[in-house]
Amino acid sequence: MSLPESPTPPSGLADLSARAQHDLACLSYPAKPWVRASPAGADVLNCAIVGGGQYGQSLAFGLLRERVDRVVVFDANPAGLAGPWMTFARMIMLRTPKDLTGPDLGVGSLTFRAFYEAVHGAQGWDSLFRITRPDWQAYLNWHREVTGIDVRPASVVTRVAPTADGLFELDVLSGGQTRTWRARTVVLATGAEGSGARVVPPMIRDGLPGSLWAHTNDPIDFTRLAGRRIGILGAGASSFDNASAGLEAGAASAELCFRRPQLPLSNPRRWMEFAGFLAHYPELPDLQRWRYMKRLYDISQPPPEPTFRRAVEMPGFRLRPATPWLAVREHAGCVRVDTPSGTLEYDFVIAGTGLSVDLAQRPELAAITPGVALWGDRFQAPTGETDPRLSAFPYLDRWGAFCEREPGSAPWASRLFAIFRGATLSLGPSSASNSNIRYTAPRIVSGITRQLFLADADRVFDEFMAQEHHELAAAAVAGVGG
Ligand SMILES: Cc1cc2nc3c(=O)[nH]c(=O)nc-3n(C[C@H](O)[C@H](O)[C@H](O)COP(=O)(O)OP(=O)(O)OC[C@H]3O[C@@H](n4cnc5c(N)ncnc54)[C@H](O)[C@@H]3O)c2cc1C
């Protein structure tokens, strides 16, 4: 059987947007709005989504398709700049293959491919190797417009707290004013940093003036480092990206120092990209999920091959394996770093030391954190397999909702959902990445609609019983002889 020819590619984005609207109309069943207004008031949101990156907007779109109204997405970044792509991400292209799908939620005209072909034609798509950062951001911005979701940019959620009447309150700071919103369900789609904080070794954070160091997630003006020597602690993909960005801006050298004797070579995360794993990992027993994640944490991850090549092809780039930093200090405006093989000197250092998962680091979650279960509360790893890093991950249910730490202590937990770095032990190693939106977003959307429906079950039943549901008019039936 041969597949039908794909339709002629649209001539531009306007055509594609029209095609997407038509596709959405064709897929609109069941179109009936169904979520009853909260008895607490018409201003209560059915869902507040904290974070308007690719996940926040995919979830909002998913809820729209399930006819959930009163959904608002709050994003801290300025309009058009949600997510890391045009701020601290410094790679040329995405690390994932170009044919990834996700924010489209199965609508072909809303895929990245359709977007790219509309702008660059089918040939442009064929010759594309991987998606560039600006193209991914442009795609997300276009998707946001076409889907019509309600995103409030430059709006920082500073507090999420359950209320006695079964809702959540969210304090949202925007334009210097704080407004308190109320919502029946909340999703924390706050990205890699949303479940913890930047990790910076105290010897750097407390021992050096701020002008001499940065974290890879910080804004860095690399033009200021032209002609300078950059030392980077850590050898993850972002460390390579920062080295390349520095060298491309004219730095004299960029060295990556790391503890391991050599770079890891394997990337099992690519192996995991098959439908069964991506879709059903959350159903695995706790022990197996723990073992998958522990192995990934233990072996670490190499940079993607293009990221590696971009860096090593630059003069001035150097890898220093087996080079942990033992002590750092300022010396005559430079940074001196003691290592087991001697002292190194740099003009600027960058901590490529990643992000922690530690809910206690998030001030906006102060009212939430004490009530919810962590893996350490629910799971005892076998001897020899314990890992305090993983014990600190929140223990989420199969829909991505929190669970109570003590039964009865946090009845609101099942209405609070999370898809951030800390969700990955419960929902899958790549669940918070582009490569898994396709499976994880519908899972969370279904968790939210389930909560909204079950919470209203009695009201819905009463409505059902109170109505006649006539299909036929009584007069029409009476007129038929019998
Ligand atoms: C440098 C980098 C490169 C990556 N490259 C890839 C890749 O190539 N392929 C891949 O699959 N994955 C990649 N990832 C991993 C993952 O896909 C990205 O982190 C992705 O951005 C996650 O999407 P998200 O919507 O969950 O979070 P984000 O895109 O980070 O969006 C979160 C949003 O929440 C907002 N926010 C946070 N806190 C608040 C608050 N309190 N109030 C309001 N808004 C808030 C932030 O401003 C941000 O806009 C990369 C990650 C990074 C950091």
Side-chain angles (χ1 to χ4, degrees), residues 208 212 229 325-339 342-347 349:
L208 294 177
L212 290 181
R229 300 159 298 171
W325 289 7
L326 306 175
V328 300
R329 63 192 171 282
E330 181 185 6
H331 176 81
C334 301
V335 182
R336 289 235 166 123
V337 180
D338 293 336
T339 77
T343 298
L344 305 169
E345 190 171 278
Y346 300 112
D347 300 303
V349 296

mmCIF file with all atom_site columns, all heavy atoms in Angstrom, residues 208 212 229 325-339 342-347 349:
data_model
loop_
_atom_site.group_PDB
_atom_site.id
_atom_site.type_symbol
_atom_site.label_atom_id
_atom_site.label_alt_id
_atom_site.label_comp_id
_atom_site.label_asym_id
_atom_site.label_entity_id
_atom_site.label_seq_id
_atom_site.pdbx_PDB_ins_code
_atom_site.Cartn_x
_atom_site.Cartn_y
_atom_site.Cartn_z
_atom_site.occupancy
_atom_site.B_iso_or_equiv
_atom_site.pdbx_formal_charge
_atom_site.auth_seq_id
_atom_site.auth_comp_id
_atom_site.auth_asym_id
_atom_site.auth_atom_id
_atom_site.pdbx_PDB_model_num
ATOM 1   N N   . LEU A 1 208 ? 34.990 34.176 45.082 1.00 0.00 ? 208 LEU A N   1
ATOM 2   C CA  . LEU A 1 208 ? 35.420 35.049 43.975 1.00 0.00 ? 208 LEU A CA  1
ATOM 3   C C   . LEU A 1 208 ? 34.461 36.227 43.829 1.00 0.00 ? 208 LEU A C   1
ATOM 4   O O   . LEU A 1 208 ? 33.254 36.072 44.048 1.00 0.00 ? 208 LEU A O   1
ATOM 5   C CB  . LEU A 1 208 ? 35.413 34.265 42.652 1.00 0.00 ? 208 LEU A CB  1
ATOM 6   C CG  . LEU A 1 208 ? 36.419 33.128 42.507 1.00 0.00 ? 208 LEU A CG  1
ATOM 7   C CD1 . LEU A 1 208 ? 36.206 32.423 41.164 1.00 0.00 ? 208 LEU A CD1 1
ATOM 8   C CD2 . LEU A 1 208 ? 37.854 33.654 42.597 1.00 0.00 ? 208 LEU A CD2 1
ATOM 9   N N   . LEU A 1 212 ? 34.202 37.918 38.187 1.00 0.00 ? 212 LEU A N   1
ATOM 10  C CA  . LEU A 1 212 ? 35.159 36.929 37.680 1.00 0.00 ? 212 LEU A CA  1
ATOM 11  C C   . LEU A 1 212 ? 34.536 35.569 37.391 1.00 0.00 ? 212 LEU A C   1
ATOM 12  O O   . LEU A 1 212 ? 35.234 34.640 36.998 1.00 0.00 ? 212 LEU A O   1
ATOM 13  C CB  . LEU A 1 212 ? 36.313 36.750 38.679 1.00 0.00 ? 212 LEU A CB  1
ATOM 14  C CG  . LEU A 1 212 ? 37.275 37.932 38.805 1.00 0.00 ? 212 LEU A CG  1
ATOM 15  C CD1 . LEU A 1 212 ? 38.388 37.611 39.797 1.00 0.00 ? 212 LEU A CD1 1
ATOM 16  C CD2 . LEU A 1 212 ? 37.866 38.289 37.443 1.00 0.00 ? 212 LEU A CD2 1
ATOM 17  N N   . ARG A 1 229 ? 41.339 34.394 28.907 1.00 0.00 ? 229 ARG A N   1
ATOM 18  C CA  . ARG A 1 229 ? 41.397 32.939 29.121 1.00 0.00 ? 229 ARG A CA  1
ATOM 19  C C   . ARG A 1 229 ? 40.201 32.535 29.983 1.00 0.00 ? 229 ARG A C   1
ATOM 20  O O   . ARG A 1 229 ? 40.024 33.053 31.084 1.00 0.00 ? 229 ARG A O   1
ATOM 21  C CB  . ARG A 1 229 ? 42.695 32.573 29.845 1.00 0.00 ? 229 ARG A CB  1
ATOM 22  C CG  . ARG A 1 229 ? 43.961 32.965 29.096 1.00 0.00 ? 229 ARG A CG  1
ATOM 23  C CD  . ARG A 1 229 ? 45.136 33.054 30.054 1.00 0.00 ? 229 ARG A CD  1
ATOM 24  N NE  . ARG A 1 229 ? 44.921 34.087 31.068 1.00 0.00 ? 229 ARG A NE  1
ATOM 25  C CZ  . ARG A 1 229 ? 45.702 34.279 32.132 1.00 0.00 ? 229 ARG A CZ  1
ATOM 26  N NH1 . ARG A 1 229 ? 46.742 33.497 32.344 1.00 0.00 ? 229 ARG A NH1 1
ATOM 27  N NH2 . ARG A 1 229 ? 45.451 35.247 33.003 1.00 0.00 ? 229 ARG A NH2 1
ATOM 28  N N   . TRP A 1 325 ? 38.617 20.868 40.485 1.00 0.00 ? 325 TRP A N   1
ATOM 29  C CA  . TRP A 1 325 ? 39.127 22.101 41.091 1.00 0.00 ? 325 TRP A CA  1
ATOM 30  C C   . TRP A 1 325 ? 39.119 21.927 42.607 1.00 0.00 ? 325 TRP A C   1
ATOM 31  O O   . TRP A 1 325 ? 38.077 21.657 43.214 1.00 0.00 ? 325 TRP A O   1
ATOM 32  C CB  . TRP A 1 325 ? 38.257 23.291 40.687 1.00 0.00 ? 325 TRP A CB  1
ATOM 33  C CG  . TRP A 1 325 ? 38.412 23.675 39.234 1.00 0.00 ? 325 TRP A CG  1
ATOM 34  C CD1 . TRP A 1 325 ? 39.125 23.000 38.281 1.00 0.00 ? 325 TRP A CD1 1
ATOM 35  C CD2 . TRP A 1 325 ? 37.836 24.812 38.575 1.00 0.00 ? 325 TRP A CD2 1
ATOM 36  N NE1 . TRP A 1 325 ? 39.024 23.634 37.052 1.00 0.00 ? 325 TRP A NE1 1
ATOM 37  C CE2 . TRP A 1 325 ? 38.233 24.753 37.217 1.00 0.00 ? 325 TRP A CE2 1
ATOM 38  C CE3 . TRP A 1 325 ? 37.016 25.858 38.971 1.00 0.00 ? 325 TRP A CE3 1
ATOM 39  C CZ2 . TRP A 1 325 ? 37.847 25.714 36.277 1.00 0.00 ? 325 TRP A CZ2 1
ATOM 40  C CZ3 . TRP A 1 325 ? 36.626 26.813 38.041 1.00 0.00 ? 325 TRP A CZ3 1
ATOM 41  C CH2 . TRP A 1 325 ? 37.047 26.744 36.706 1.00 0.00 ? 325 TRP A CH2 1
ATOM 42  N N   . LEU A 1 326 ? 40.288 22.072 43.205 1.00 0.00 ? 326 LEU A N   1
ATOM 43  C CA  . LEU A 1 326 ? 40.413 21.856 44.648 1.00 0.00 ? 326 LEU A CA  1
ATOM 44  C C   . LEU A 1 326 ? 40.206 23.159 45.416 1.00 0.00 ? 326 LEU A C   1
ATOM 45  O O   . LEU A 1 326 ? 39.654 23.162 46.506 1.00 0.00 ? 326 LEU A O   1
ATOM 46  C CB  . LEU A 1 326 ? 41.794 21.266 44.971 1.00 0.00 ? 326 LEU A CB  1
ATOM 47  C CG  . LEU A 1 326 ? 42.139 19.985 44.182 1.00 0.00 ? 326 LEU A CG  1
ATOM 48  C CD1 . LEU A 1 326 ? 43.567 19.535 44.474 1.00 0.00 ? 326 LEU A CD1 1
ATOM 49  C CD2 . LEU A 1 326 ? 41.152 18.877 44.533 1.00 0.00 ? 326 LEU A CD2 1
ATOM 50  N N   . ALA A 1 327 ? 40.672 24.262 44.841 1.00 0.00 ? 327 ALA A N   1
ATOM 51  C CA  . ALA A 1 327 ? 40.514 25.575 45.479 1.00 0.00 ? 327 ALA A CA  1
ATOM 52  C C   . ALA A 1 327 ? 40.626 26.642 44.403 1.00 0.00 ? 327 ALA A C   1
ATOM 53  O O   . ALA A 1 327 ? 41.306 26.442 43.390 1.00 0.00 ? 327 ALA A O   1
ATOM 54  C CB  . ALA A 1 327 ? 41.601 25.782 46.528 1.00 0.00 ? 327 ALA A CB  1
ATOM 55  N N   . VAL A 1 328 ? 39.918 27.758 44.593 1.00 0.00 ? 328 VAL A N   1
ATOM 56  C CA  . VAL A 1 328 ? 40.049 28.884 43.659 1.00 0.00 ? 328 VAL A CA  1
ATOM 57  C C   . VAL A 1 328 ? 40.271 30.154 44.468 1.00 0.00 ? 328 VAL A C   1
ATOM 58  O O   . VAL A 1 328 ? 39.813 30.265 45.605 1.00 0.00 ? 328 VAL A O   1
ATOM 59  C CB  . VAL A 1 328 ? 38.788 29.064 42.766 1.00 0.00 ? 328 VAL A CB  1
ATOM 60  C CG1 . VAL A 1 328 ? 38.520 27.840 41.935 1.00 0.00 ? 328 VAL A CG1 1
ATOM 61  C CG2 . VAL A 1 328 ? 37.575 29.431 43.581 1.00 0.00 ? 328 VAL A CG2 1
ATOM 62  N N   . ARG A 1 329 ? 40.999 31.093 43.870 1.00 0.00 ? 329 ARG A N   1
ATOM 63  C CA  . ARG A 1 329 ? 41.192 32.372 44.563 1.00 0.00 ? 329 ARG A CA  1
ATOM 64  C C   . ARG A 1 329 ? 41.490 33.437 43.520 1.00 0.00 ? 329 ARG A C   1
ATOM 65  O O   . ARG A 1 329 ? 41.984 33.130 42.418 1.00 0.00 ? 329 ARG A O   1
ATOM 66  C CB  . ARG A 1 329 ? 42.332 32.281 45.585 1.00 0.00 ? 329 ARG A CB  1
ATOM 67  C CG  . ARG A 1 329 ? 43.677 31.991 44.971 1.00 0.00 ? 329 ARG A CG  1
ATOM 68  C CD  . ARG A 1 329 ? 44.716 31.630 46.031 1.00 0.00 ? 329 ARG A CD  1
ATOM 69  N NE  . ARG A 1 329 ? 45.944 31.146 45.378 1.00 0.00 ? 329 ARG A NE  1
ATOM 70  C CZ  . ARG A 1 329 ? 46.100 29.944 44.873 1.00 0.00 ? 329 ARG A CZ  1
ATOM 71  N NH1 . ARG A 1 329 ? 45.114 29.056 44.912 1.00 0.00 ? 329 ARG A NH1 1
ATOM 72  N NH2 . ARG A 1 329 ? 47.228 29.592 44.289 1.00 0.00 ? 329 ARG A NH2 1
ATOM 73  N N   . GLU A 1 330 ? 41.160 34.673 43.881 1.00 0.00 ? 330 GLU A N   1
ATOM 74  C CA  . GLU A 1 330 ? 41.519 35.794 43.013 1.00 0.00 ? 330 GLU A CA  1
ATOM 75  C C   . GLU A 1 330 ? 42.990 36.114 43.219 1.00 0.00 ? 330 GLU A C   1
ATOM 76  O O   . GLU A 1 330 ? 43.501 36.104 44.348 1.00 0.00 ? 330 GLU A O   1
ATOM 77  C CB  . GLU A 1 330 ? 40.669 37.012 43.363 1.00 0.00 ? 330 GLU A CB  1
ATOM 78  C CG  . GLU A 1 330 ? 40.991 38.185 42.467 1.00 0.00 ? 330 GLU A CG  1
ATOM 79  C CD  . GLU A 1 330 ? 40.243 39.453 42.868 1.00 0.00 ? 330 GLU A CD  1
ATOM 80  O OE1 . GLU A 1 330 ? 39.560 39.440 43.901 1.00 0.00 ? 330 GLU A OE1 1
ATOM 81  O OE2 . GLU A 1 330 ? 40.384 40.444 42.132 1.00 0.00 ? 330 GLU A OE2 1
ATOM 82  N N   . HIS A 1 331 ? 43.686 36.389 42.103 1.00 0.00 ? 331 HIS A N   1
ATOM 83  C CA  . HIS A 1 331 ? 45.079 36.799 42.218 1.00 0.00 ? 331 HIS A CA  1
ATOM 84  C C   . HIS A 1 331 ? 45.355 37.848 41.137 1.00 0.00 ? 331 HIS A C   1
ATOM 85  O O   . HIS A 1 331 ? 45.287 37.534 39.948 1.00 0.00 ? 331 HIS A O   1
ATOM 86  C CB  . HIS A 1 331 ? 46.016 35.597 42.034 1.00 0.00 ? 331 HIS A CB  1
ATOM 87  C CG  . HIS A 1 331 ? 47.467 35.981 42.056 1.00 0.00 ? 331 HIS A CG  1
ATOM 88  N ND1 . HIS A 1 331 ? 48.159 36.180 43.243 1.00 0.00 ? 331 HIS A ND1 1
ATOM 89  C CD2 . HIS A 1 331 ? 48.345 36.235 41.047 1.00 0.00 ? 331 HIS A CD2 1
ATOM 90  C CE1 . HIS A 1 331 ? 49.399 36.537 42.943 1.00 0.00 ? 331 HIS A CE1 1
ATOM 91  N NE2 . HIS A 1 331 ? 49.535 36.575 41.623 1.00 0.00 ? 331 HIS A NE2 1
ATOM 92  N N   . ALA A 1 332 ? 45.584 39.051 41.540 1.00 0.00 ? 332 ALA A N   1
ATOM 93  C CA  . ALA A 1 332 ? 45.896 40.157 40.624 1.00 0.00 ? 332 ALA A CA  1
ATOM 94  C C   . ALA A 1 332 ? 44.873 40.248 39.492 1.00 0.00 ? 332 ALA A C   1
ATOM 95  O O   . ALA A 1 332 ? 45.229 40.346 38.313 1.00 0.00 ? 332 ALA A O   1
ATOM 96  C CB  . ALA A 1 332 ? 47.313 39.987 40.058 1.00 0.00 ? 332 ALA A CB  1
ATOM 97  N N   . GLY A 1 333 ? 43.596 40.173 39.857 1.00 0.00 ? 333 GLY A N   1
ATOM 98  C CA  . GLY A 1 333 ? 42.530 40.333 38.855 1.00 0.00 ? 333 GLY A CA  1
ATOM 99  C C   . GLY A 1 333 ? 42.244 39.079 38.060 1.00 0.00 ? 333 GLY A C   1
ATOM 100 O O   . GLY A 1 333 ? 41.359 39.081 37.198 1.00 0.00 ? 333 GLY A O   1
ATOM 101 N N   . CYS A 1 334 ? 42.997 37.998 38.320 1.00 0.00 ? 334 CYS A N   1
ATOM 102 C CA  . CYS A 1 334 ? 42.756 36.728 37.621 1.00 0.00 ? 334 CYS A CA  1
ATOM 103 C C   . CYS A 1 334 ? 42.245 35.708 38.632 1.00 0.00 ? 334 CYS A C   1
ATOM 104 O O   . CYS A 1 334 ? 42.167 35.978 39.826 1.00 0.00 ? 334 CYS A O   1
ATOM 105 C CB  . CYS A 1 334 ? 44.039 36.198 37.002 1.00 0.00 ? 334 CYS A CB  1
ATOM 106 S SG  . CYS A 1 334 ? 44.760 37.350 35.837 1.00 0.00 ? 334 CYS A SG  1
ATOM 107 N N   . VAL A 1 335 ? 41.922 34.510 38.111 1.00 0.00 ? 335 VAL A N   1
ATOM 108 C CA  . VAL A 1 335 ? 41.473 33.430 38.994 1.00 0.00 ? 335 VAL A CA  1
ATOM 109 C C   . VAL A 1 335 ? 42.526 32.332 38.973 1.00 0.00 ? 335 VAL A C   1
ATOM 110 O O   . VAL A 1 335 ? 42.888 31.822 37.903 1.00 0.00 ? 335 VAL A O   1
ATOM 111 C CB  . VAL A 1 335 ? 40.123 32.849 38.516 1.00 0.00 ? 335 VAL A CB  1
ATOM 112 C CG1 . VAL A 1 335 ? 39.662 31.757 39.479 1.00 0.00 ? 335 VAL A CG1 1
ATOM 113 C CG2 . VAL A 1 335 ? 39.075 33.939 38.402 1.00 0.00 ? 335 VAL A CG2 1
ATOM 114 N N   . ARG A 1 336 ? 43.035 32.002 40.116 1.00 0.00 ? 336 ARG A N   1
ATOM 115 C CA  . ARG A 1 336 ? 43.971 30.877 40.244 1.00 0.00 ? 336 ARG A CA  1
ATOM 116 C C   . ARG A 1 336 ? 43.192 29.657 40.729 1.00 0.00 ? 336 ARG A C   1
ATOM 117 O O   . ARG A 1 336 ? 42.449 29.747 41.708 1.00 0.00 ? 336 ARG A O   1
ATOM 118 C CB  . ARG A 1 336 ? 45.073 31.220 41.229 1.00 0.00 ? 336 ARG A CB  1
ATOM 119 C CG  . ARG A 1 336 ? 46.022 32.261 40.658 1.00 0.00 ? 336 ARG A CG  1
ATOM 120 C CD  . ARG A 1 336 ? 47.452 31.716 40.719 1.00 0.00 ? 336 ARG A CD  1
ATOM 121 N NE  . ARG A 1 336 ? 48.321 32.533 39.896 1.00 0.00 ? 336 ARG A NE  1
ATOM 122 C CZ  . ARG A 1 336 ? 49.404 33.148 40.350 1.00 0.00 ? 336 ARG A CZ  1
ATOM 123 N NH1 . ARG A 1 336 ? 49.743 33.041 41.632 1.00 0.00 ? 336 ARG A NH1 1
ATOM 124 N NH2 . ARG A 1 336 ? 50.170 33.828 39.535 1.00 0.00 ? 336 ARG A NH2 1
ATOM 125 N N   . VAL A 1 337 ? 43.403 28.536 40.040 1.00 0.00 ? 337 VAL A N   1
ATOM 126 C CA  . VAL A 1 337 ? 42.677 27.310 40.350 1.00 0.00 ? 337 VAL A CA  1
ATOM 127 C C   . VAL A 1 337 ? 43.673 26.220 40.700 1.00 0.00 ? 337 VAL A C   1
ATOM 128 O O   . VAL A 1 337 ? 44.541 25.874 39.876 1.00 0.00 ? 337 VAL A O   1
ATOM 129 C CB  . VAL A 1 337 ? 41.833 26.857 39.137 1.00 0.00 ? 337 VAL A CB  1
ATOM 130 C CG1 . VAL A 1 337 ? 41.082 25.577 39.470 1.00 0.00 ? 337 VAL A CG1 1
ATOM 131 C CG2 . VAL A 1 337 ? 40.876 27.944 38.682 1.00 0.00 ? 337 VAL A CG2 1
ATOM 132 N N   . ASP A 1 338 ? 43.562 25.675 41.901 1.00 0.00 ? 338 ASP A N   1
ATOM 133 C CA  . ASP A 1 338 ? 44.424 24.551 42.284 1.00 0.00 ? 338 ASP A CA  1
ATOM 134 C C   . ASP A 1 338 ? 43.783 23.253 41.831 1.00 0.00 ? 338 ASP A C   1
ATOM 135 O O   . ASP A 1 338 ? 42.586 23.015 42.086 1.00 0.00 ? 338 ASP A O   1
ATOM 136 C CB  . ASP A 1 338 ? 44.619 24.517 43.806 1.00 0.00 ? 338 ASP A CB  1
ATOM 137 C CG  . ASP A 1 338 ? 45.408 25.722 44.293 1.00 0.00 ? 338 ASP A CG  1
ATOM 138 O OD1 . ASP A 1 338 ? 46.159 26.306 43.476 1.00 0.00 ? 338 ASP A OD1 1
ATOM 139 O OD2 . ASP A 1 338 ? 45.254 26.093 45.471 1.00 0.00 ? 338 ASP A OD2 1
ATOM 140 N N   . THR A 1 339 ? 44.579 22.414 41.185 1.00 0.00 ? 339 THR A N   1
ATOM 141 C CA  . THR A 1 339 ? 44.101 21.096 40.736 1.00 0.00 ? 339 THR A CA  1
ATOM 142 C C   . THR A 1 339 ? 45.151 20.067 41.165 1.00 0.00 ? 339 THR A C   1
ATOM 143 O O   . THR A 1 339 ? 46.273 20.457 41.544 1.00 0.00 ? 339 THR A O   1
ATOM 144 C CB  . THR A 1 339 ? 43.952 21.049 39.193 1.00 0.00 ? 339 THR A CB  1
ATOM 145 O OG1 . THR A 1 339 ? 45.253 20.903 38.604 1.00 0.00 ? 339 THR A OG1 1
ATOM 146 C CG2 . THR A 1 339 ? 43.280 22.292 38.643 1.00 0.00 ? 339 THR A CG2 1
ATOM 147 N N   . GLY A 1 342 ? 48.469 20.686 39.446 1.00 0.00 ? 342 GLY A N   1
ATOM 148 C CA  . GLY A 1 342 ? 49.110 22.006 39.441 1.00 0.00 ? 342 GLY A CA  1
ATOM 149 C C   . GLY A 1 342 ? 48.097 23.135 39.459 1.00 0.00 ? 342 GLY A C   1
ATOM 150 O O   . GLY A 1 342 ? 46.885 22.904 39.497 1.00 0.00 ? 342 GLY A O   1
ATOM 151 N N   . THR A 1 343 ? 48.588 24.357 39.397 1.00 0.00 ? 343 THR A N   1
ATOM 152 C CA  . THR A 1 343 ? 47.713 25.532 39.460 1.00 0.00 ? 343 THR A CA  1
ATOM 153 C C   . THR A 1 343 ? 47.482 26.082 38.051 1.00 0.00 ? 343 THR A C   1
ATOM 154 O O   . THR A 1 343 ? 48.428 26.240 37.271 1.00 0.00 ? 343 THR A O   1
ATOM 155 C CB  . THR A 1 343 ? 48.346 26.599 40.366 1.00 0.00 ? 343 THR A CB  1
ATOM 156 O OG1 . THR A 1 343 ? 48.470 26.056 41.673 1.00 0.00 ? 343 THR A OG1 1
ATOM 157 C CG2 . THR A 1 343 ? 47.497 27.852 40.431 1.00 0.00 ? 343 THR A CG2 1
ATOM 158 N N   . LEU A 1 344 ? 46.213 26.376 37.752 1.00 0.00 ? 344 LEU A N   1
ATOM 159 C CA  . LEU A 1 344 ? 45.854 26.955 36.449 1.00 0.00 ? 344 LEU A CA  1
ATOM 160 C C   . LEU A 1 344 ? 45.442 28.398 36.677 1.00 0.00 ? 344 LEU A C   1
ATOM 161 O O   . LEU A 1 344 ? 44.987 28.763 37.760 1.00 0.00 ? 344 LEU A O   1
ATOM 162 C CB  . LEU A 1 344 ? 44.695 26.179 35.831 1.00 0.00 ? 344 LEU A CB  1
ATOM 163 C CG  . LEU A 1 344 ? 44.908 24.664 35.683 1.00 0.00 ? 344 LEU A CG  1
ATOM 164 C CD1 . LEU A 1 344 ? 43.607 23.971 35.307 1.00 0.00 ? 344 LEU A CD1 1
ATOM 165 C CD2 . LEU A 1 344 ? 45.986 24.403 34.619 1.00 0.00 ? 344 LEU A CD2 1
ATOM 166 N N   . GLU A 1 345 ? 45.572 29.215 35.633 1.00 0.00 ? 345 GLU A N   1
ATOM 167 C CA  . GLU A 1 345 ? 45.177 30.622 35.779 1.00 0.00 ? 345 GLU A CA  1
ATOM 168 C C   . GLU A 1 345 ? 44.239 31.021 34.649 1.00 0.00 ? 345 GLU A C   1
ATOM 169 O O   . GLU A 1 345 ? 44.506 30.733 33.471 1.00 0.00 ? 345 GLU A O   1
ATOM 170 C CB  . GLU A 1 345 ? 46.411 31.527 35.770 1.00 0.00 ? 345 GLU A CB  1
ATOM 171 C CG  . GLU A 1 345 ? 46.045 32.954 36.168 1.00 0.00 ? 345 GLU A CG  1
ATOM 172 C CD  . GLU A 1 345 ? 47.283 33.824 36.374 1.00 0.00 ? 345 GLU A CD  1
ATOM 173 O OE1 . GLU A 1 345 ? 47.874 33.760 37.464 1.00 0.00 ? 345 GLU A OE1 1
ATOM 174 O OE2 . GLU A 1 345 ? 47.640 34.541 35.416 1.00 0.00 ? 345 GLU A OE2 1
ATOM 175 N N   . TYR A 1 346 ? 43.143 31.671 35.020 1.00 0.00 ? 346 TYR A N   1
ATOM 176 C CA  . TYR A 1 346 ? 42.152 32.125 34.039 1.00 0.00 ? 346 TYR A CA  1
ATOM 177 C C   . TYR A 1 346 ? 41.780 33.582 34.324 1.00 0.00 ? 346 TYR A C   1
ATOM 178 O O   . TYR A 1 346 ? 41.948 34.072 35.441 1.00 0.00 ? 346 TYR A O   1
ATOM 179 C CB  . TYR A 1 346 ? 40.887 31.262 34.121 1.00 0.00 ? 346 TYR A CB  1
ATOM 180 C CG  . TYR A 1 346 ? 41.142 29.800 33.856 1.00 0.00 ? 346 TYR A CG  1
ATOM 181 C CD1 . TYR A 1 346 ? 41.002 28.852 34.876 1.00 0.00 ? 346 TYR A CD1 1
ATOM 182 C CD2 . TYR A 1 346 ? 41.527 29.344 32.595 1.00 0.00 ? 346 TYR A CD2 1
ATOM 183 C CE1 . TYR A 1 346 ? 41.244 27.505 34.645 1.00 0.00 ? 346 TYR A CE1 1
ATOM 184 C CE2 . TYR A 1 346 ? 41.764 28.006 32.351 1.00 0.00 ? 346 TYR A CE2 1
ATOM 185 C CZ  . TYR A 1 346 ? 41.631 27.091 33.382 1.00 0.00 ? 346 TYR A CZ  1
ATOM 186 O OH  . TYR A 1 346 ? 41.879 25.765 33.143 1.00 0.00 ? 346 TYR A OH  1
ATOM 187 N N   . ASP A 1 347 ? 41.208 34.223 33.282 1.00 0.00 ? 347 ASP A N   1
ATOM 188 C CA  . ASP A 1 347 ? 40.698 35.589 33.479 1.00 0.00 ? 347 ASP A CA  1
ATOM 189 C C   . ASP A 1 347 ? 39.237 35.579 33.908 1.00 0.00 ? 347 ASP A C   1
ATOM 190 O O   . ASP A 1 347 ? 38.736 36.565 34.456 1.00 0.00 ? 347 ASP A O   1
ATOM 191 C CB  . ASP A 1 347 ? 40.841 36.384 32.177 1.00 0.00 ? 347 ASP A CB  1
ATOM 192 C CG  . ASP A 1 347 ? 42.290 36.472 31.751 1.00 0.00 ? 347 ASP A CG  1
ATOM 193 O OD1 . ASP A 1 347 ? 43.102 36.956 32.554 1.00 0.00 ? 347 ASP A OD1 1
ATOM 194 O OD2 . ASP A 1 347 ? 42.607 35.996 30.631 1.00 0.00 ? 347 ASP A OD2 1
ATOM 195 N N   . VAL A 1 349 ? 35.964 32.538 35.018 1.00 0.00 ? 349 VAL A N   1
ATOM 196 C CA  . VAL A 1 349 ? 35.588 31.123 35.123 1.00 0.00 ? 349 VAL A CA  1
ATOM 197 C C   . VAL A 1 349 ? 34.069 30.975 35.061 1.00 0.00 ? 349 VAL A C   1
ATOM 198 O O   . VAL A 1 349 ? 33.312 31.878 35.451 1.00 0.00 ? 349 VAL A O   1
ATOM 199 C CB  . VAL A 1 349 ? 36.132 30.465 36.417 1.00 0.00 ? 349 VAL A CB  1
ATOM 200 C CG1 . VAL A 1 349 ? 37.654 30.439 36.403 1.00 0.00 ? 349 VAL A CG1 1
ATOM 201 C CG2 . VAL A 1 349 ? 35.605 31.136 37.670 1.00 0.00 ? 349 VAL A CG2 1
#
